Amino acid sequence: MAKLPFSKLNLSKDVVKINEIEWNEQTITVKSYLPVEEKFNFIEAVLGQAADKNNFLNPLKVKIFFTIEIINFYTNITFTEKQKEDPQKLYDLICGNGLFDAIIKLIPEKEYNDIW
């Protein structure tokens, strides 16, 4: 079998597709892929917030912060410091209104499963 130099593949670094949805007359952009370094930051953000004082992960907190960080890392939506103070309320607003479901439909299943 002949060897093929990786450099001959001419791979592009900018392969992130940006999708858009309209939500209450606002345009939300959603990334289809996060570079691996951002995935590390995403996972650290979720796990860092979901651990209790004994460093055990609370499964409900994991779900709450996973949801919030999906919005944070994959979309152009920003949260105020005041909103971040009550993550349970923020989670209920995001999920209760169907926003999270609308956003994850635009993230490929493999990408979603990789970070979960």
Side-chain angles (χ1 to χ4, degrees), residues 43-63 65:
I43 292 167
E44 286 178 351
V46 171
L47 298 181
Q49 297 173 91
D52 66 15
K53 62 184 174 197
N54 296 317
N55 287 325
F56 289 106
L57 293 178
N58 177 323
L60 184 55
K61 282 186 173 183
V62 170
K63 186 173 183 167
F65 290 110

Side-chain angles (χ1 to χ4, degrees), residues 55-115:
N55 287 325
F56 289 106
L57 293 178
N58 177 323
L60 184 55
K61 282 186 173 183
V62 170
K63 186 173 183 167
I64 289 168
F65 290 110
F66 180 85
T67 299
I68 292 170
E69 295 304 338
I70 284 273
I71 305 294
N72 212 17
F73 278 81
Y74 280 86
T75 76
N76 62 330
I77 298 171
T78 59
F79 303 115
T80 66
E81 290 304 315
K82 180 85 171 146
Q83 290 166 327
K84 292 180 195 178
E85 289 175 6
D86 192 347
Q88 294 87 347
K89 180 179 179 182
L90 194 54
Y91 173 85
D92 287 339
L93 286 170
I94 292 166
C95 292
N97 285 284
L99 180 60
F100 184 70
D101 290 336
I103 288 169
I104 62 167
K105 286 179 183 173
L106 299 177
I107 298 172
E109 185 177 355
K110 182 181 179 340
E111 176 74 4
Y112 182 85
N113 290 338
D114 283 352
I115 59 171

Side-chain angles (χ1 to χ4, degrees), residues 12 17 19 61:
S12 173
K17 180 181 173 193
N19 299 300
K61 282 186 173 183

Side-chain angles (χ1 to χ4, degrees), residues 1-11:
M1 171 169 49
K3 297 287 183 179
L4 173 64
F6 184 74
S7 59
K8 295 270 187 187
L9 298 176
N10 295 323
L11 299 177

